[in-house]
Amino acid sequence: MIQIRNLSKSFGDKQILSNINLDIHLGETLCIIGKSGCGKSVLLKHIVGLLQPDSGYVSMDDSKISALDQKQLFNVRKCIGYVFQGAALFDSYNVFENTVLKLLESGEKDYTKLANDAKFVLSAVGLLPEDINSSEFEKEWTILANKKPSELSGGMKKRVGVARALIGSPDYIFYDEPTTGLDPVTSQQIDDLIANLANQLKVTSIIITHDMFSVYNIADKVAMLHDGNLHFYGSIPEIKNSNDDVVREFIERYQ
Ligand SMILES: Nc1ncnc2c1ncn2[C@@H]1O[C@H](COP(=O)(O)OP(=O)(O)OP(=O)(O)O)[C@@H](O)[C@H]1O
Ligand SMILES: [Mg+2]
């Protein structure tokens, strides 16, 4: 479980987050919404320890993230998959290398294990076919594994980003705008993928999104940031029925 308590963060004299309190329960899918620049990515970066709070804290399974040293943080991050805003694949690495980056960083050198793990997650995100014989599969795998990000479509890059986050069976997976820039059909496929992973692998998921269709498709709970505050927190029926002006403006504009 993730607990965010009285979290505040400023950059210079600009207060980005003020006194945020939020719980994310195990197995839950939380969508974070809010206008561009309201601090969604900043909040997520606190959860993974990429940013330090000015005050307050984030705890994950009872570890206080900001109090961890590098080694402890490294261990906590093993339980987390992070799909960065804009996929953020390394252009000079091929799909295989991009996918197994986390394992390479933790010192894994066994090629067979790396390849098997990559095949598993790339199949899970639908980039490798599941119903073909093994020699056909190996052919498809070799072609995909050797592709560079520049040879992939936007939707495929996002899938590789999700596959990379899935490596090592994380308990938590965080997506920063996984469908931004995709057409509606591909967005729906990525939403379905996120929902399937949450259901099948029982991962606890946080998704930052502007896309209210995605929210309605996948969220158990919705949190809205506005003017540095947690302006709304609730279920999908609750947000749909909200009479709050800020909430209404947001959900009507993005529908
Ligand atoms: N490392 C940093 N140093 C200084 N300012 C930062 C830093 N990171 C973010 N900011 C500022 O904090 C504010 C919130 O940024 P953030 O990236 O969290 O927005 P966001 O809600 O994710 O927006 P978007 O929907 O456009 O991705 C912005 O004004 C941004 O310029
Ligand atoms: Mg952002």
Side-chain angles (χ1 to χ4, degrees):
M1 160 173 201
I2 299 170
Q3 294 173 305
I4 302 172
R5 289 288 175 272
N6 306 320
L7 187 85
S8 295
K9 181 72 176 177
S10 299
F11 291 113
D13 56 7
K14 200 168 158 203
Q15 178 106 29
I16 306 298
L17 301 174
S18 35
N19 210 30
I20 304 288
N21 286 287
L22 185 60
D23 286 350
I24 301 111
H25 299 278
L26 283 184
E28 200 167 78
T29 298
L30 173 78
C31 283
I32 301 178
I33 60 172
K35 285 182 190 159
S36 195
C38 71
K40 303 180 295 297
S41 297
V42 165
L43 181 61
L44 202 56
K45 284 176 185 165
H46 280 87
I47 299 176
V48 292
L50 287 170
L51 285 172
Q52 290 283 342
D54 296 336
S55 58
Y57 64 90
V58 177
S59 79
M60 184 177 286
D61 302 332
D62 297 326
S63 296
K64 205 168 165 184
I65 298 295
S66 52
L68 301 178
D69 62 29
Q70 282 304 316
K71 193 169 166 228
Q72 292 166 319
L73 198 54
F74 185 79
N75 283 327
V76 168
R77 285 195 187 136
K78 279 189 188 160
C79 313
I80 302 172
Y82 199 130
V83 183
F84 289 93
Q85 192 160 1
L89 302 178
F90 288 95
D91 290 337
S92 58
Y93 290 176
N94 63 28
V95 168
F96 172 49
E97 291 159 337
N98 265 294
T99 305
V100 296
L101 209 58
K102 202 162 156 187
L103 299 178
L104 292 173
E105 278 171 5
S106 62
E108 181 62 60
K109 293 192 178 70
D110 178 350
Y111 174 80
T112 310
K113 171 163 173 42
L114 291 168
N116 282 340
D117 284 8
K119 286 173 190 171
F120 177 75
V121 293
L122 289 165
S123 302
V125 301
L127 284 173
L128 286 171
E130 298 193 64
D131 302 329
I132 54 171
N133 67 44
S134 61
S135 70
E136 283 294 318
F137 182 88
E138 285 303 314
K139 241 188 252 171
E140 296 275 345
W141 152 250
T142 308
I143 294 169
L144 177 67
N146 288 298
K147 281 201 165 132
K148 290 282 175 62
S150 59
E151 299 172 74
L152 304 176
S153 70
M156 287 173 86
K157 281 185 201 163
K158 300 265 185 185
R159 283 174 196 266
V160 175
V162 177
R164 175 168 67 185
L166 278 178
I167 209 96
S169 311
D171 300 323
Y172 296 94
I173 179 157
F174 305 148
Y175 305 83
D176 197 342
E177 306 208 7
T179 59
T180 299
L182 300 179
D183 66 84
V185 175
T186 312
S187 293
Q188 176 75 51
Q189 289 171 349
I190 298 284
D191 286 346
D192 291 345
L193 172 62
I194 293 171
N196 284 340
L197 295 174
N199 293 334
Q200 285 167 16
L201 305 178
K202 309 280 177 234
V203 287
T204 304
S205 314
I206 302 178
I207 300 106
I208 294 177
T209 184
H210 283 125
D211 183 344
M212 286 310 294
F213 286 113
S214 290
V215 173
Y216 297 149
N217 272 335
I218 56 187
D220 296 316
K221 288 280 163 38
V222 188
M224 181 180 191
L225 296 180
H226 182 70
D227 284 346
N229 298 302
L230 180 64
H231 188 82
F232 172 89
Y233 175 80
S235 64
I236 290 172
E238 283 165 342
I239 197 165
K240 281 186 169 168
N241 292 323
S242 170
N243 290 321
D244 181 273
D245 287 345
V246 174
V247 171
R248 291 237 63 84
E249 188 197 7
F250 190 91
I251 68 176
E252 279 161 15
R253 169 138 31 123
Y254 288 100
Q255 274 181 102

